[in-house]
Amino acid sequence: MLRSRFASHGRSATNTTVVLCVLMAALLITISSVRDGSSSLGTMLSTTTPCKAAAPSHLTPRVFPTTRRQGFVVPPRAGPLARSSNVESKQQQQHHDAGDHRRGGSEAISDRRSFLFSSAAILAGTGSGLFSDVRPAIAANGKFDSYQNVKEDIKALIKADMDKGPTLVRLAWHSSGTYDKMSRTGGSGLGTIRFKDELAHGANAGLNTAVEWLEPIHAKYNGGISYADLYTLAGITAIETLGGPQIGWRAGRVDAMDPSAVTPDGRLPAADKGSPQDTAEHLRSIFGRMGFNDQEIVALAGAHALGRGHVNYSGYDGPWTFTPTRFNNAYFDLLLRLEWVPQTTNAGNKQFTDAKTKTLMMLPSDLVLIQDSSFRKFTEMYAGDNAKFLKDFSKAFQKLEELGTSNLRSVKLS
């Protein structure tokens, strides 16, 4: 009982210290702000992070004024579908500061306010429980350090609805597949697929839903992870969650601030160019522009083990395999083993369906992988060796996701 009384007394003293420190900080802010011309204490406090979140800068990222949506904290938007990371650079912080919420003073006043509240928290001591539910998102080196947590959130999103996994792979693929090695434009490095200008490209029909699925996760970490990193991390996480290999991934992509970095439509591969020869030539042109050879083209095509065509988005209809949420070499096996007959979709597009069940589909660009002799030898190799396919796919997909990037850094993921 004596120990309990001492413990209770210690907690009361600590809480009293916290209150006094916060009041001292508020008084100092008032005096400082009056000197700098700020309007009132009420205005200042309305734009300041709540005391509970006012941890020292090494414990929690800088928090911007927020609203709430579906239980997640959502920073002010920079546009209808796009917000830029608020920890990448000073320019991006200023971009958010000029948004829909006024910060109630100059940057110097804001910084002083943040410092004083942080100082109060330090005086009170972190042992008081003030920060017991604050997740450190910034490592000692000042870089975002919660990628494993983000990955777990993406896994949870997919496990709640496995059909979302293939679409997230497609999002990562299409955000990366715009790279041009000659002009060094496009690729995953700028996260431009979140802009409506790029989502409007024909090959990206329906991907706005995937962008929206990931919005709460981006908001949860207060922009600590860039959209470009989030989309590519979602791709490798989806493949792994759906039974595929663990693919290498590195962080450090920096979001573009506006749609001026969006590349022209037409950089992604088309499903049909009229004849097998023209379609094969088209694939080599598109993938060659990114720096891929025939074997890598076939390996990356194996992603069609996942998902299905949606006639209202692509004009094609049906799954490629009988297990569209399981990543393996079934795509190659079925491509070689089944008889494929022409079929016209409700959108008027030519595709192929299996003669026996008429439940599967292949695109003209899929059939080219067994019609072209160079492509076919790799298709046969992967159909007979799943381990070889998974190894080669992992290497090619990491290469795809790192096109158009620079200064990436390795992070711990499991």
Side-chain angles (χ1 to χ4, degrees):
M1 180 176 293
L2 183 61
R3 181 181 301 174
S4 175
R5 287 177 180 173
F6 276 120
S8 175
H9 176 75
R11 285 193 297 270
S12 298
T14 300
N15 291 337
T16 301
T17 303
V18 172
V19 172
L20 289 173
C21 289
V22 172
L23 289 174
M24 288 172 61
L27 180 59
L28 289 171
I29 291 168
T30 305
I31 295 169
S32 175
S33 298
V34 167
R35 184 182 63 198
D36 289 311
S38 186
S39 57
S40 68
L41 179 61
T43 300
M44 288 183 286
L45 294 181
S46 69
T47 58
T48 303
T49 305
C51 180
K52 187 174 183 180
S57 59
H58 69 283
L59 291 179
T60 184
R62 188 177 184 182
V63 179
F64 288 85
T66 60
T67 56
R68 288 190 174 269
R69 184 183 69 195
Q70 298 178 350
F72 293 96
V73 177
V74 184
R77 287 181 175 271
L81 281 170
R83 288 193 320 276
S84 300
S85 168
N86 57 17
V87 298
E88 302 291 359
S89 66
K90 186 69 174 179
Q91 180 183 3
Q92 290 167 312
Q93 291 176 7
Q94 292 171 345
H95 174 76
H96 280 279
D97 292 348
D100 297 332
H101 299 269
R102 296 188 179 276
R103 293 179 58 115
S106 68
E107 190 70 19
I109 296 172
S110 177
D111 289 343
R112 186 184 298 114
R113 204 164 48 229
S114 177
F115 169 77
L116 290 172
F117 268 92
S118 297
S119 299
I122 294 170
L123 288 171
T126 57
S128 65
L130 270 175
F131 313 114
S132 60
D133 62 345
V134 175
R135 177 182 299 174
I138 304 297
N141 61 5
K143 298 180 184 294
F144 182 75
D145 196 33
S146 294
Y147 294 105
Q148 182 61 41
N149 293 332
V150 176
K151 183 177 180 181
E152 293 303 321
D153 288 339
I154 296 169
K155 280 185 179 180
L157 174 70
I158 296 168
K159 289 179 177 179
D161 184 354
M162 298 294 277
D163 286 331
K164 290 183 177 179
T167 307
L168 291 175
V169 175
R170 180 171 166 242
L171 176 68
W173 208 119
H174 286 212
S175 71
S176 306
T178 58
Y179 183 67
D180 177 18
K181 66 181 181 181
M182 296 299 292
S183 64
R184 297 184 179 181
T185 57
S188 71
L190 299 175
T192 55
I193 201 168
R194 75 193 192 278
F195 293 119
K196 63 181 181 180
D197 309 62
E198 188 163 334
L199 286 171
H201 292 177
N204 293 333
L207 285 180
N208 60 300
T209 58
V211 169
E212 289 299 323
W213 294 339
L214 295 173
E215 277 291 313
I217 296 176
H218 185 269
K220 178 178 179 179
Y221 296 93
N222 297 309
I225 181 171
S226 68
Y227 282 108
D229 275 348
L230 179 61
Y231 299 153
T232 52
L233 180 57
I236 63 109
T237 302
I239 290 167
E240 182 182 338
T241 305
L242 299 178
Q246 187 172 18
I247 299 172
W249 183 85
R250 297 188 295 168
R253 297 165 183 82
V254 179
D255 291 330
M257 297 294 291
D258 58 65
S260 63
V262 171
T263 56
D265 195 359
R267 288 196 176 186
L268 294 169
D272 187 11
K273 282 296 182 179
S275 71
Q277 182 178 355
D278 288 342
T279 302
E281 183 179 340
H282 168 73
L283 291 180
R284 290 190 172 99
S285 174
I286 292 291
F287 284 90
R289 187 202 68 225
M290 294 185 275
F292 291 109
N293 59 33
D294 281 6
Q295 182 172 355
E296 292 169 317
I297 293 172
V298 176
L300 288 171
H304 280 173
L306 301 176
R308 59 175 294 135
H310 296 270
V311 70
N312 56 318
Y313 291 143
S314 65
Y316 298 94
D317 189 33
W320 284 270
T321 72
F322 294 110
T323 53
T325 58
R326 189 72 182 170
F327 191 89
N328 52 34
N329 66 339
Y331 165 78
F332 300 109
D333 175 64
L334 295 171
L335 190 55
L336 286 165
R337 186 163 51 85
L338 299 185
E339 178 187 358
W340 298 96
V341 297
Q343 182 185 54
T344 302
T345 70
N346 291 336
N349 291 332
K350 176 186 175 182
Q351 64 179 34
F352 295 85
T353 188
D354 66 297
K356 185 175 182 180
T357 71
K358 291 184 169 56
T359 58
L360 302 180
M361 78 93 183
M362 290 285 173
L363 303 171
S365 57
D366 295 313
L367 265 292
V368 162
L369 300 186
I370 59 176
Q371 294 166 335
D372 181 274
S373 59
S374 178
F375 289 152
R376 185 182 179 99
K377 67 181 180 182
F378 298 117
T379 301
E380 291 174 345
M381 179 176 67
Y382 293 141
D385 192 339
N386 186 56
K388 174 65 172 172
F389 163 60
L390 296 181
K391 179 182 178 181
D392 289 353
F393 178 86
S394 298
K395 184 178 179 180
F397 198 78
Q398 181 175 4
K399 176 180 175 179
L400 173 70
E401 287 203 327
E402 294 187 357
L403 295 175
T405 64
S406 60
N407 301 318
L408 297 184
R409 65 184 187 278
S410 297
V411 296
K412 292 182 179 180
L413 291 176
S414 60

